Amino acid sequence: MAKSALLIGEKSDIGATIKTYLKKESYVVTGTTSSTLDLSSKESVDNFLLKNNKKFNSIIFVAATNTPKKFLNLKDKDFDYSYDVNFKSFVFILKNLISKMPTNSNSSIIIISSLFGSFGRDKRFLYSSSKHFLNGAMKNLAIELGTYRIRVNSIAPGFIDTKMTRNNNSNNSLSKIIKKIPAGRLGKSKDIAEAVMFLLSSKSSYITGQELVIDGGLTAGGFWED
């Protein structure tokens, strides 16, 4: 029987690479983009669920918005939009689809989080706090869904060479960041996709409730000045 995966955010650099890897492993992929699923719109989410009322072996959440802005300059609409896209709508979708996931197979939910799910940074209040929410959700879901043999994990990418990373960091900032990464480079989307495939596989059947950090060693402590 073919394995099926729901990939929320297939058009991002990381999402597109994950989709390629899923296809190589013969997954039937239902992917979403901002045009097919507007996570900021309850109507769009409701319509998506009506059209996709089916079983998925795996659900992978990649979609996110990250527009740097000082906390004191944030508007109410900024909070609503960021939290809807980065957290609330995904949790609502899960609540509706989890009961349909197969419980006699290697079912898995994977959340693409961020280092900002553990750390803060100037102008990243909404992005960081929403990623903290996701990590808390991951741990609680792992506890509650273990009974149904559904594993839940998150991946925290470090600085990955994507359009979002380059849009939100100057070349000068990226040069400074790379100097603090023991691996000596920005990560690649395939570094994240390969980790996703491991967490989907039976090789990780005893791993749940965990955050896998993929940052080239940045948070090992190399950012401290000697």
Side-chain angles (χ1 to χ4, degrees), residues 114-116 118-121 156-160 165 169 173-187 213-225:
S114 168
L115 291 186
F116 295 115
S118 299
F119 300 93
R121 188 182 179 187
F159 288 88
I160 308 300
T165 295
N169 298 275
S173 293
L174 288 176
S175 294
K176 291 179 180 178
I177 289 167
I178 290 170
K179 289 179 181 178
K180 298 180 185 298
I181 299 174
R185 65 173 175 85
L186 296 177
V213 177
I214 303 176
D215 67 352
L218 177 64
T219 53
F223 46 80
W224 293 107
E225 297 288 346

Side-chain angles (χ1 to χ4, degrees), residues 159-216:
F159 288 88
I160 308 300
D161 195 355
T162 64
K163 289 187 286 292
M164 179 185 284
T165 295
R166 293 194 174 273
N167 287 338
N168 290 339
N169 298 275
S170 67
N171 289 335
N172 184 51
S173 293
L174 288 176
S175 294
K176 291 179 180 178
I177 289 167
I178 290 170
K179 289 179 181 178
K180 298 180 185 298
I181 299 174
R185 65 173 175 85
L186 296 177
K188 299 177 181 179
S189 294
K190 71 172 187 175
D191 295 323
I192 308 305
E194 288 171 354
V196 167
M197 298 314 297
F198 167 70
L199 288 176
L200 290 179
S201 75
S202 60
K203 294 178 181 178
S204 64
S205 63
Y206 200 54
I207 300 176
T208 191
Q210 302 304 309
E211 179 187 27
L212 176 58
V213 177
I214 303 176
D215 67 352

